[in-house]
Amino acid sequence: MTQMKSLQPVTLSEFEAMKKEEGRNYELIDGIVMMSLRPSLAHQWISGKLFSELWHILKGTSCMPIQEIDLVLDEQNFIPDLMVICNEDIRERKHYDKPPMIAIEIISPTSASRDHILKRRKYEQLGVREYWIVSPVGTIEIYYLQDGKYALEQS
């Protein structure tokens, strides 16, 4: 008879000390380590295009887009595809540790439920003002934080 062992939550310090394989992304959400493959070329193309558009829109402001930087909040470690941060110089940092103005996830078949359900809930709880979920077919769901809850932009 096989006995199931319950998962023990991982702390942020244990996560940071963990050996990680090259070519994979690791996130820590609710004490659970989540691993995914690095993004596909199509995913990277969408990310690059969004980054470029945001860079041009934000030029001359105190805000800027950043890609694939660890976001460490409330003992959790996320890796949004893109974030928009304001009034910060992060060139010397290993990670970002404040709620960004915008967190952006580009969904893939393996990340859709995590991005739509888990990350949306966590970003909402952590005070991320806007959360964008980008589909590879070109649609973008934009959630705005209103009174502590996300509201989907209606178009």
Side-chain angles (χ1 to χ4, degrees):
M1 181 173 178
T2 305
Q3 216 173 23
M4 301 224 9
K5 184 179 177 183
S6 63
L7 289 174
Q8 295 298 314
V10 174
T11 66
L12 183 59
S13 58
E14 291 169 331
F15 174 78
E16 289 172 340
M18 207 175 89
K19 184 177 179 186
K20 298 173 182 85
E21 288 182 48
E22 193 67 34
R24 302 191 186 280
N25 282 340
Y26 293 84
E27 297 179 288
L28 178 66
I29 304 174
D30 289 336
I32 308 276
V33 176
M34 299 186 183
M35 185 274 300
S36 60
L37 297 174
R38 290 281 182 193
S40 68
L41 287 175
H43 184 110
Q44 291 179 38
W45 183 84
I46 294 167
S47 181
K49 190 162 176 56
L50 271 171
F51 179 89
S52 178
E53 291 293 326
L54 287 167
W55 183 263
H56 289 294
I57 291 168
L58 298 170
K59 194 174 183 178
T61 72
S62 64
C63 298
M64 64 185 212
I66 54 177
Q67 291 178 293
E68 296 237 351
I69 301 297
D70 287 50
L71 173 62
V72 178
L73 296 170
D74 194 32
E75 293 295 306
Q76 301 184 75
N77 192 97
F78 306 92
I79 306 175
D81 293 307
L82 291 143
M83 291 188 285
V84 172
I85 63 168
C86 301
N87 304 311
E88 297 278 341
D89 182 357
I90 63 160
R91 289 177 283 192
E92 302 300 319
R93 294 191 192 173
K94 288 185 176 184
H95 63 265
Y96 190 67
D97 58 6
K98 298 175 188 170
M101 178 169 285
I102 303 171
I104 302 170
E105 297 289 355
I106 301 163
I107 61 171
S108 66
T110 58
S111 75
S113 64
R114 180 174 42 207
D115 293 339
H116 276 286
I117 299 167
L118 184 61
K119 284 190 173 183
R120 187 176 80 202
R121 180 177 53 84
K122 296 309 293 183
Y123 290 158
E124 178 183 72
Q125 289 171 351
L126 295 167
V128 176
R129 288 193 238 174
E130 289 183 29
Y131 178 43
W132 298 9
I133 301 175
V134 180
S135 164
V137 296
T139 61
I140 302 176
E141 293 177 18
I142 300 177
Y143 294 88
Y144 293 98
L145 196 60
Q146 297 175 352
D147 300 320
K149 295 284 183 197
Y150 277 142
L152 180 62
E153 177 185 72
Q154 300 299 317
S155 35

